[in-house]
Amino acid sequence: MGNILSCLFGGEEDADGKWEGREGKGDKHRAPAPQFDSATVLQGLAGEEILNCVLAVDGGGRFSISAGEEQTVRVFDFDAKRVVREWKAPAKAVNRLSCCSLSRLVLAGCRDGSIVVWRDAGTGRLGAGGWEGEVKGEEEVAVMRGHELAVNGLAVSMEDENCLFSGSRDWTVRVWDVPSGKEQAQCKVHRNVVSYARAVPGEPCFLQASEDLQLRLWDVRAFQKPAQIIASAHNNIMTCCDVSRDGLLLLSSSNGFAGEGCELKVWDRRQGQLLAQLHGHAESITSCCFLSASSRSSKPLVASASQDSSVRVWDVEEAKCRQSISLLSSHRVTSLSAAMASSGKEFLCSGSFSGALGMWSVGEDGEIALESCAASERITA
């Protein structure tokens, strides 16, 4: 294993074996759900497993990387309408995904506490250099070990892609050096059961949500304690978080039932103050993200998905839902991810409980439309 790692990463196996191998009611402002008769249904191309995570990949086209309960990691090319890569995690389900576009690495945080790394054999940036060769990818390059329980937070630094942040149910957060695979630092915080993590654009910082109801911001340059804490961010367990492209706004979501507790909150990072509460989902929010369209319209926009079988777009400034789309309950969305295609147009990828993958176009005004889906049937209601 040491020779393989030295060849691929320019480093050696770690001695301790770290390498192994404002409030607004959304329903009042709900826009009518558009009809998707023109959406292309790509049958026979999706798996049947529950998808725990999906990652929209920017580059030469519109790609998604997805994974879930059956350990299979797939790269799907929505423009070519085919699966272009497929890997198998060595143990248990995959909870989170991240990637290093420049070095063409795909990383998976798994339920057994491991972080599995694969390298794609193409050239150029991940996605931009094409997906030549066999669909079945190479065996894993390496496995980062250290966490004792499931990895629920995984994010690569947007600065240079050399720093990986991970968080787990074992109360620890860790920083890894991607080229060498070595753990650089770790911090254990009592009851910090990490539920999600995101990188802060342009900074060596990471945001993580926790089941202890606190949002924590970590700076890898001083990792002994969180750089910032937003205490009691929600009343219910937080499910997801995100950071705006300018790094100034933070987003969090939570569990709930019958319209109570299932809310999104937007925070001013500099002041640590709540800017908006977004109400309207009837059940737990499974995923949320900022839309880049907000940088063009000057109004921050947020996309969210819920167990109530809806996907919504929110206007943060007015604290209202501007668009709500109903899905079939069997295809309710578990994960959302936005990226910018080489054309300069933003797109949104979704993964569902049924294994269906959706690709949504994002308009200049931030409204979304389902363009195609890899599923056995239509996913919209």
Side-chain angles (χ1 to χ4, degrees), residues 16 26 55 93 119 256 279 298 336 342:
D16 60 2
L55 191 65
R119 182 192 292 278
H279 297 279
S298 77
L336 290 172
S342 57

Side-chain angles (χ1 to χ4, degrees), residues 47-171:
E48 297 180 355
E49 62 181 316
I50 297 173
L51 293 179
N52 295 327
C53 46
V54 66
L55 191 65
V57 181
D58 56 357
R62 296 176 296 181
F63 303 96
S64 72
I65 307 175
S66 61
E69 293 297 311
E70 294 181 3
Q71 308 158 238
T72 303
V73 178
R74 292 186 178 92
V75 181
F76 193 86
D77 184 335
F78 280 101
D79 295 323
K81 300 178 176 58
R82 65 188 183 98
V83 176
V84 292
R85 280 293 182 276
E86 188 173 284
W87 296 282
K88 193 79 169 179
K92 294 195 175 181
V94 175
N95 288 346
R96 299 290 181 262
L97 289 167
S98 192
C99 70
C100 299
S101 296
L102 295 175
S103 51
R104 300 183 70 89
L105 296 178
V106 175
L107 305 98
C110 300
R111 195 165 293 166
D112 67 351
S114 64
I115 301 170
V116 187
V117 185
W118 297 274
R119 182 192 292 278
D120 183 69
T123 58
R125 288 177 60 89
L126 192 66
W131 303 90
E132 304 87 355
E134 296 293 326
V135 170
K136 183 173 174 56
E138 299 295 327
E139 296 301 316
E140 69 268 11
V141 170
V143 180
M144 297 175 175
R145 296 198 184 276
H147 286 297
E148 297 175 359
L149 296 174
V151 175
N152 286 337
L154 196 69
V156 171
S157 171
M158 296 185 184
E159 276 197 310
D160 56 13
E161 298 189 341
N162 287 329
C163 178
L164 173 68
F165 176 92
S166 64
S168 168
R169 296 190 63 84
D170 63 9
W171 298 359

Side-chain angles (χ1 to χ4, degrees), residues 222-235:
F223 208 65
Q224 297 81 11
K225 62 180 181 179
Q228 183 180 0
I229 298 176
I230 299 178
S232 301
H234 288 259
N235 294 323

Side-chain angles (χ1 to χ4, degrees), residues 104-358:
R104 300 183 70 89
L105 296 178
V106 175
L107 305 98
C110 300
R111 195 165 293 166
D112 67 351
S114 64
I115 301 170
V116 187
V117 185
W118 297 274
R119 182 192 292 278
D120 183 69
T123 58
R125 288 177 60 89
L126 192 66
W131 303 90
E132 304 87 355
E134 296 293 326
V135 170
K136 183 173 174 56
E138 299 295 327
E139 296 301 316
E140 69 268 11
V141 170
V143 180
M144 297 175 175
R145 296 198 184 276
H147 286 297
E148 297 175 359
L149 296 174
V151 175
N152 286 337
L154 196 69
V156 171
S157 171
M158 296 185 184
E159 276 197 310
D160 56 13
E161 298 189 341
N162 287 329
C163 178
L164 173 68
F165 176 92
S166 64
S168 168
R169 296 190 63 84
D170 63 9
W171 298 359
T172 70
V173 290
R174 299 169 190 248
V175 173
W176 310 79
D177 177 65
V178 173
S180 68
K182 293 183 178 181
E183 183 184 302
Q184 300 293 297
Q186 67 166 281
C187 186
K188 188 170 186 175
V189 178
H190 182 63
R191 297 181 64 187
N192 182 26
V193 180
V194 177
S195 56
Y196 209 84
R198 294 288 288 180
V200 177
E203 300 178 42
C205 298
F206 297 88
L207 176 70
Q208 59 108 159
S210 172
E211 291 188 10
D212 70 357
L213 312 184
Q214 300 193 59
L215 275 175
R216 294 179 175 88
L217 193 70
W218 298 87
D219 188 325
V220 300
R221 297 165 295 190
F223 208 65
Q224 297 81 11
K225 62 180 181 179
Q228 183 180 0
I229 298 176
I230 299 178
S232 301
H234 288 259
N235 294 323
N236 291 7
I237 291 175
M238 283 187 284
T239 55
C240 194
C241 62
D242 197 15
V243 185
S244 61
R245 293 188 71 187
D246 59 12
L248 299 180
L249 300 179
L250 309 178
L251 173 66
S252 58
S253 64
S254 61
N255 277 340
F257 179 73
E260 297 295 327
C262 35
E263 61 185 5
L264 296 136
K265 292 186 178 182
V266 180
W267 308 85
D268 183 324
R269 176 188 168 192
R270 292 169 295 187
Q271 302 296 324
Q273 295 180 346
L274 180 64
L275 294 179
Q277 296 184 63
L278 307 175
H279 297 279
H281 280 300
E283 304 293 339
S284 296
I285 296 171
T286 53
S287 188
C288 60
C289 63
F290 283 102
L291 294 178
S292 300
S294 58
S295 63
R296 298 190 294 268
S297 67
S298 77
K299 285 188 174 184
L301 301 175
V302 166
S304 65
S306 168
Q307 293 269 29
D308 65 10
S309 305
S310 72
V311 175
R312 300 187 180 213
V313 176
W314 305 82
D315 185 319
V316 174
E317 189 176 282
E318 298 185 23
K320 71 177 184 180
C321 176
R322 61 185 299 171
Q323 184 183 18
S324 180
I325 298 167
S326 296
L327 307 176
L328 296 174
S329 61
S330 59
H331 297 299
R332 59 194 186 279
V333 168
T334 56
S335 182
L336 290 172
S337 178
M340 198 72 67
S342 57
S343 62
K345 293 184 177 180
E346 187 176 18
F347 66 101
L348 187 70
C349 289
S350 64
S352 78
F353 280 93
S354 67
L357 283 169

